[in-house]
Amino acid sequence: MDQLRTRHGAAVVRTRDLIATTVPKAKGSREVLQRAGDRLDRQTGGEWVSEALQRAIEAAQRNSTPSGLYVVDCVRFGGQIDAIRRAHGPEVFHIHLTAAQSVLRQRYVERSAAEDAAVEYDALRKSRTERNIESLAKVADVVVDTDRCSAGGVLVRATALLDLYPRGAEKLVDVLIGGQFGSEGKGNIVGHIAPEYDLLVRVGGPNAGHQVFAEPEPEKYFHLPSGTRRAPKAQLLLGPGAVINPKKLLDEIAKHEIDRDRLVIDEQAMIITDEDLERERELFANISSTAQGVGLASARKLTGRSDYKSGARRFLARDCDDLRPFIGSARKVLADAFVERRRILLEGTQGTSLSLHHGQYPHVTTRDTTVAGCLADAGIAPANVRRVIMVCRTFPIRVGGPSGPMAFEVSMEDIHRRSRIPLDPLKRAERTTTTNKERRIAEFDWEQFKDSVQLNGPTDIALTFVDYFGIENREAYRFDQLTPETIRFVEEVERVSGRPVSMLSTDFNWRNVIDRRNW
């Protein structure tokens, strides 16, 4: 009953309290209350419970706090059930909880209040009402053997009976992922659409930094969802597949003034240690890794299970005292969101062609960066997905150095000449968010793009860095204001992918996204 109250806002009406209110003299032990209840049942045929419930509902309505869901804990006589059903009709559901007598006896002993301590369980069972309680199972909508079902299981069955779960897999989740090698401008698109969502979810680790325009300087997010400030009322969630640098995350939390009620970090997210950071700097310089400790922390989650079980090492988020105020269950947060039919945005990190499984090994990251990988890391079923937004640049990039092959590389000077964007700000912009390294840049790779479409199955394409086709695109606020070359490129992207280009980012400012969505 308490879980129905906390999870679904139910108002719990206890017959014990109703007896004390209806018969003011009936105060004291459970035995005294039981006798008073028996008398009320004989006098009213059980109507007193229904009348008291109605008074509780009317009082809530007068106080402007109607719950909509009321739980009567607990009925002990068929007449009480009949009276409530007559008053409230088909909206009434009767859940009968039972257990073996030995279990019920033990529970009674464990929870008895001080005034009941002298009353033996067997003495209470001599009451005719108590003896006949099991007969109520015949008229119940659901009978639950609680010695064979956990409290959480009882809640699940009650929630389903009350029709509080969505019927089928409701499509409430939109997923945003990168379609290339990362740095596609995902943060910019998230910042544009974030106000439309109630729950923002992020997975991955601090090896990926996302930027959202703000003044006097851009907002940078390494752990938190990029829409954190753009959607100040949205709940924030870091999924169980996240990899966390506690100090860096706490700095983000402080900088963005996130309170403990807004952010939930799943208890099974992985923690990066100082040792992970040091070792990655030594091991992965030859592939231009960001060396943020994500790889070794992720590997330890796979290989360190024996150490964890033995207590030799503790490395999950639930073991980090500094994060304790934010620790919770992603599964519970998501379950509540689905019940409440809240809109959810799952934000992926890095890019499809950096996927551990689908990228150009060994020049890959330490996780699957496709939609399927992001859903698994968050704990969201594919059937709940409504939209998949794949973000792509007009000119893809990779981090500078030996970061892996990229077809048809060009120089920043080439982009400068073709776009007429001044060279110095262009070079300043094309540095990585996490490590501030210079980026390599290339022509749009149609073959790589088609592979990403196949891997992710997007419903929509978001195209960024459209100003690289011409600085005049920065002055375009409608699709028809873009240059002819840009429009032809968009048409070809749509033809190759079979998906609409729903959003185009023309610059990095407040009014920089041409939104063509029809959803």
Side-chain angles (χ1 to χ4, degrees):
M1 302 308 132
D2 289 337
Q3 290 194 60
L4 281 172
R5 181 178 63 234
T6 56
R7 295 287 293 274
H8 302 298
V12 178
V13 179
R14 301 183 185 277
T15 52
R16 180 186 183 114
D17 298 333
L18 295 180
I19 293 171
T21 302
T22 307
V23 186
K25 295 182 180 179
K27 295 181 179 179
S29 70
R30 175 170 175 167
E31 188 177 24
V32 171
L33 290 169
Q34 189 180 69
R35 288 199 299 267
D38 288 344
R39 286 196 299 273
L40 285 170
D41 285 335
R42 289 194 298 272
Q43 293 166 3
T44 69
E47 289 282 353
W48 68 274
V49 176
S50 178
E51 293 168 357
L53 172 60
Q54 186 59 39
R55 288 195 297 272
I57 294 172
E58 291 170 355
Q61 291 172 339
R62 285 195 301 272
N63 295 329
S64 299
T65 57
S67 162
L69 177 61
Y70 290 84
V71 178
V72 179
D73 178 26
C74 55
V75 295
R76 295 179 173 273
F77 168 56
Q80 297 173 357
I81 299 170
D82 293 339
I84 295 172
R85 287 191 183 281
R86 283 195 298 272
H88 299 281
E91 296 182 355
V92 176
F93 295 94
H94 175 206
I95 303 172
H96 183 76
L97 306 181
T98 186
Q101 286 301 316
S102 59
V103 174
L104 293 174
R105 180 181 288 104
Q106 183 61 33
R107 289 175 183 170
Y108 173 75
V109 171
E110 291 173 355
R111 71 169 180 258
S112 289
E115 63 266 24
D116 291 338
V119 182
E120 294 289 341
Y121 176 78
D122 290 334
L124 287 173
R125 289 287 297 175
K126 291 179 180 178
S127 160
R128 184 180 66 178
T129 300
E130 292 290 342
R131 288 198 310 271
N132 292 330
I133 279 179
E134 286 306 316
S135 66
L136 299 183
K138 296 178 181 179
V139 295
D141 294 285
V142 168
V143 177
V144 179
D145 290 321
T146 58
D147 50 351
R148 301 178 184 179
C149 188
S150 66
V154 174
L155 176 65
V156 167
R157 296 169 73 174
T159 302
L161 179 66
L162 296 169
D163 202 26
L164 296 176
Y165 285 138
R167 291 292 183 180
E170 198 158 0
K171 297 183 183 299
L172 297 168
V173 181
D174 292 345
V175 187
L176 182 140
I177 45 87
Q180 294 157 323
F181 302 96
S183 298
E184 297 96 347
K186 294 182 289 295
N188 207 23
I189 300 299
V190 171
H192 175 71
I193 64 177
E196 302 169 18
Y197 299 90
D198 306 300
L199 173 61
L200 305 177
V201 186
R202 189 163 170 184
V203 292
N207 50 346
H210 295 177
Q211 291 194 69
V212 178
F213 180 81
E215 294 178 319
E217 60 182 21
E219 299 166 4
K220 296 183 180 181
Y221 296 96
F222 300 95
H223 294 92
L224 297 176
S226 302
T228 293
R229 283 192 177 272
R230 292 288 179 91
K233 295 183 179 180
Q235 187 177 12
L236 309 176
L237 174 64
L238 301 185
V243 185
I244 295 169
N245 180 324
K247 183 180 183 304
K248 202 165 187 175
L249 173 56
L250 290 168
D251 287 345
E252 269 189 86
I253 289 171
K255 181 176 181 178
H256 296 292
E257 301 176 321
I258 307 301
D259 63 51
R260 61 191 301 173
D261 295 326
R262 188 180 179 202
L263 171 65
V264 174
I265 303 169
D266 190 84
E267 63 177 7
Q268 296 208 133
M270 195 65 180
I271 294 299
I272 297 169
T273 66
D274 291 340
E275 181 185 356
D276 295 328
L277 292 166
E278 293 170 9
R279 289 284 291 148
E280 283 208 358
R281 293 188 191 106
E282 298 171 5
L283 293 173
F284 300 134
N286 64 339
I287 58 169
S288 292
S289 168
T290 59
Q292 296 298 303
V294 175
L296 288 179
S298 300
R300 191 170 61 256
K301 196 170 188 180
L302 296 174
T303 63
R305 290 168 290 169
S306 179
D307 284 347
Y308 193 87
K309 185 176 181 182
S310 68
R313 299 190 70 180
R314 294 293 178 189
F315 40 69
L316 296 183
R318 66 187 178 212
D319 307 317
C320 181
D321 291 338
D322 291 337
L323 299 179
R324 196 171 302 281
F326 303 98
I327 298 301
S329 166
R331 196 173 304 155
K332 179 182 180 301
V333 171
L334 290 165
D336 289 347
F338 288 130
V339 167
E340 296 163 11
R341 294 169 171 79
R342 298 163 66 196
R343 292 283 306 279
I344 302 167
L345 177 63
L346 170 59
E347 177 183 355
T349 58
Q350 302 173 289
T352 297
S353 289
L354 294 179
S355 167
L356 175 63
H357 307 307
H358 307 293
Q360 297 158 316
Y361 193 89
H363 300 285
V364 294
T365 190
T366 55
R367 54 185 292 272
D368 181 14
T369 52
T370 66
V371 169
C374 292
L375 290 171
D377 283 351
I380 296 173
N384 291 121
V385 175
R386 182 185 72 128
R387 292 273 174 182
V388 174
I389 307 156
M390 191 170 83
V391 185
C392 294
R393 295 175 53 121
T394 53
F395 292 82
I397 64 93
R398 292 195 85 146
V399 65
S403 55
M406 192 166 57
F408 308 110
E409 286 195 48
V410 296
S411 68
M412 292 300 172
E413 286 78 9
D414 291 331
I415 301 297
H416 157 65
R417 284 191 296 270
R418 292 160 68 171
S419 67
R420 296 173 299 283
I421 298 172
L423 184 58
D424 286 345
L426 187 64
K427 285 186 173 181
R428 285 196 300 271
E430 290 296 7
R431 302 189 72 86
T432 59
T433 303
T434 300
T435 57
N436 197 35
K437 289 182 179 179
E438 186 176 327
R439 292 164 171 162
R440 298 157 53 204
I441 192 163
E443 300 281 0
F444 192 84
D445 187 336
W446 293 98
E447 188 175 9
Q448 184 275 333
F449 172 68
K450 185 62 176 175
D451 286 344
S452 289
V453 170
Q454 178 181 325
L455 284 166
N456 292 299
T459 59
D460 298 80
I461 307 295
L463 195 62
T464 58
F465 295 86
V466 172
D467 53 333
Y468 282 17
F469 281 131
I471 193 170
E472 57 268 42
N473 279 334
R474 292 181 177 179
E475 303 302 319
Y477 299 108
R478 302 189 311 273
F479 183 71
D480 60 272
Q481 292 177 315
L482 294 169
T483 66
E485 179 190 7
T486 307
I487 291 174
R488 286 193 298 271
F489 180 81
V490 170
E491 290 172 344
E492 189 159 12
V493 166
E494 293 183 330
R495 185 162 55 248
V496 169
S497 66
R499 276 75 167 180
V501 174
S502 296
M503 287 171 278
L504 299 100
S505 176
T506 59
D507 196 3
F508 194 54
N509 58 43
W510 284 120
R511 195 183 169 194
N512 67 326
V513 176
I514 297 175
D515 195 330
R516 308 169 72 214
R517 293 178 294 167
N518 59 3
W519 44 280

